[in-house]
């Protein structure tokens, strides 16, 4: 048996944005060392974010390193960089206006990319300015696993109480009620206002714990 992972495989024409199978390919042998499949490698890519990592593998790595994954609340606190009520880690200026601020998808997703930020796929970490806490890539480039289970109504339920919330005890996604999902944050090189706008600091997404994807990685935190 050969493990597989999801690799971005762009169409050459405009597609229905409700059908992600139009741009994701399930590639046998794609993994963190071979991000585009068996013929690819990470040679010379030591300063790129690691991707094709399941939630379990991310947790195991953090533990090995004496660290842990951030909670979703910690992640958002960090992404805001000390700003209050701003849309992005850098403030309110739209992602495609002014100075290039993050690695996102520019143009018509997923078949036309204007490369205004100079990167079609992943970018080396710290290619753009850090936020107010000195943190790089809190928007765009690669989605990041959080420790929390995903529940679509969790923050509505705790709105008037919790400080430093740690996430719900179990996951629940009404779109896929039987799949165990974790929160991912930050958006990726595939995010575009027409599709996911994951680079907004409040944007929540989720995926199944065992998913590997070309645009999903993680960062560790330490107490
Ligand atoms: Ca880009």
């Amino acid at each position: 048996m050969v493990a597989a992972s999801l690799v971005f495989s762009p169409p050459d024409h405009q597609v229905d944005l409700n059908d992600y199978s139009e741009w994701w390919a399930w590639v046998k042998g794609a993994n963190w060392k071979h991000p585009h499949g068996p013929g690819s490698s990470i040679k010379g890519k030591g300063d790129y974010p690691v991707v094709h990592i399941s939630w379990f593998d991310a947790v195991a790595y953090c533990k090995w390193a004496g660290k842990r994954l951030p909670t979703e609340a910690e992640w958002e606190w960090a992404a805001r960089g000390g700003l209050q009520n701003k849309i992005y880690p850098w403030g309110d200026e739209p992602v495609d206006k002014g100075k290039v601020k993050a690695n996102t998808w520019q143009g018509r997703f997923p078949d036309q990319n204007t490369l205004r930020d100079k990167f079609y796929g992943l970018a080396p970490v710290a290619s753009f300015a850090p936020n107010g806490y000195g943190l790089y890539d809190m928007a765009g480039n690669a989605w990041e696993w959080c420790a929390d289970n995903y529940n679509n109504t969790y923050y509505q339920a705790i709105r008037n109480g919790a400080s430093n919330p740690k996430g719900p005890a179990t996951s629940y996604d009404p779109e896929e009620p039987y799949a165990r999902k974790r929160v991912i944050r930050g958006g990726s090189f595939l995010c575009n206002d027409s599709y996911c706008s994951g680079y907004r600091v409040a944007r929540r997404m989720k995926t199944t714990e065992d998913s590997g994807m070309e645009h999903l990685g993680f960062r560790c935190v330490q107490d």
Side-chain angles (χ1 to χ4, degrees), residues 103-106 113 117 119-120:
N103 181 15
T104 64
W105 185 279
Q106 295 145 333
N113 191 328
D117 61 28
F119 297 99
Y120 184 86

Side-chain angles (χ1 to χ4, degrees), residues 95-96 102-106 113 117 119 140-141 188-191 199:
V95 65
D96 288 331
N103 181 15
T104 64
W105 185 279
Q106 295 145 333
N113 191 328
D117 61 28
F119 297 99
N141 213 20
S188 81
F189 64 89
L190 297 178
C191 282
Y199 32 72

Side-chain angles (χ1 to χ4, degrees), residues 137-157:
D137 301 314
M138 296 306 285
N141 213 20
W143 286 97
E144 301 175 20
W145 286 113
C146 293
D148 302 34
N149 283 303
Y150 175 79
N151 183 307
N152 64 312
T153 61
Y154 179 63
Y155 284 94
Q156 286 152 289

